[in-house]
Amino acid sequence: MQGRIQYLTLTETDMVWMPDLFFKNEKEGHFHNIILPNLYIRIYPDGGVLYSIRISLTLSCPMDLKLFPLDRQQCQLLMASYGWTTEDLVFLWKDVEPVQVTKNLHLPRFTLEKFITDYCNSKTNTGEYSCLRVDLVFKREFSYYLIQYYIPCCMLVIVSWVSFWLDQNAVPARVSLGVTTLLTMSTQTSSINNTLPPVSYTKAIDVWTGVCLTFVFGALLEFALVNYASRSDKHREKLKEKLKEHKKQWEMEHAAALEAALQEAGEDGHTFGMKPLVSRHNGGMGGDKRPCEIHLTAPRQNCCRTWLSKFPTRSKRIDVISRITFPIVFAFFNMAYWSTYLFTEEEEGKE
């Protein structure tokens, strides 16, 4: 430019002094050397030096999975001087675009929301060392987990309710349906946990799978209760029939004995006179001749009891109540679950 060289390009780092930069949270890393080492150095006339190198790093990022999969994770990139103290070497961020991110960046399960630059100087017994920090905020993509985990679990819970509409005497069908949905739900829960690191606290997905598993297990227990009530109803019907037979037999014997007694009394010529229980003198019980008035009030009818009275057996009533109770409780759980975790996610996003 105007007879002067714009900058010099070097590919050998040994010819220029370089700071001893290292990544504090690095786990693995490597340089790219195909076909030649991917690096260059530009030296400008004013003394400025630009050092560019291509490296791949695997960094440690402690995650808080309490809201998984509705969580946001903040990972850090820490760059510090290894041997030179701040008396000799100081790292500073550029004022304009200190970090540049490619525009077509695409991650399969995360979205990079923002990044924040800061300093992280550390003091040790050997001195103070300069450090740069980049905070990367990632939001987990929820659509994958909605399709793979949440919708299948919800469908399994609804399928378990089909047993409420089957006949109470269809024992093989209802047992096989309950056991199959329970085993499928258990397999789904174990597959979710296998993809995540074991943690000591409860995650949002654990609450969902745990409640869905409880609903499926409750549907299976409901059939056990229905089966017990059905056998109890049959036993009660048998007792009622026996009581009716005994009562009918007793009435027949009593009628025969009464008829025999009347015949004996007729043969002996005796008559039995019946005295009135209430004297009619002076209008009955007292002098007041007004007839007695009886006021009857119609009992209050409970709509639920009236509706349940349409189903004569207890087993049928349990099925009918379960058809309404299980969906309503599951709907309330969904309202509480999504409102709680989505509200918590919004608060974390604002922070």
Side-chain angles (χ1 to χ4, degrees), residues 3-146:
R4 299 180 60 184
I5 299 176
Q6 185 177 0
Y7 54 79
L8 295 177
T9 301
L10 303 177
T11 57
E12 297 180 7
T13 58
D14 297 338
M15 300 179 64
V16 181
W17 178 87
M18 298 297 299
D20 55 346
L21 177 72
F22 80 106
F23 298 91
K24 297 178 68 174
N25 55 341
E26 175 208 353
K27 298 179 66 176
E28 293 180 359
H30 65 273
F31 297 99
H32 294 265
N33 297 318
I34 301 175
I35 299 176
L36 295 174
N38 299 162
L39 62 91
Y40 65 85
I41 300 173
R42 290 180 181 175
I43 303 177
Y44 292 88
D46 59 356
V49 178
L50 172 63
Y51 177 63
S52 176
I53 185 172
R54 183 171 176 234
I55 58 177
S56 294
L57 297 173
T58 300
L59 306 175
S60 64
C61 179
M63 293 187 177
D64 185 5
L65 300 175
K66 291 181 180 178
L67 297 179
F68 176 87
L70 299 167
D71 56 336
R72 283 179 172 85
Q73 301 298 335
Q74 183 171 330
C75 297
Q76 296 180 345
L77 177 62
L78 304 176
M79 299 167 285
S81 173
Y82 191 81
W84 300 97
T85 62
T86 53
E87 297 178 356
D88 302 316
L89 177 62
V90 176
F91 290 129
L92 298 175
W93 286 112
K94 291 175 59 178
D95 295 332
V96 180
E97 293 185 354
V99 178
Q100 298 179 10
V101 181
T102 179
K103 295 181 179 180
N104 58 352
L105 178 65
H106 178 72
L107 300 175
R109 296 189 182 183
F110 289 94
T111 300
L112 180 61
E113 285 191 335
K114 60 182 178 180
F115 56 88
I116 305 171
T117 58
D118 200 356
Y119 296 94
C120 55
N121 296 354
S122 59
K123 292 183 179 181
T124 63
N125 294 333
T126 57
E128 182 180 0
Y129 297 90
S130 182
C131 176
L132 300 178
R133 186 180 73 188
V134 183
D135 294 330
L136 304 172
V137 180
F138 295 97
K139 180 183 178 182
R140 196 181 301 272
E141 291 290 342
F142 179 68
S143 57
Y144 169 80
Y145 300 95
L146 178 65

Side-chain angles (χ1 to χ4, degrees), residues 154 157-158 161 208 211-212 215 322-340:
C154 186
V157 173
I158 295 175
W161 299 342
W208 175 263
V211 173
C212 290
F215 271 94
S322 299
R323 294 173 190 174
I324 301 173
T325 304
F326 274 72
I328 290 177
V329 175
F330 190 68
F332 275 112
F333 163 70
N334 274 272
M335 293 173 58
Y337 180 87
W338 295 113
S339 60
T340 300

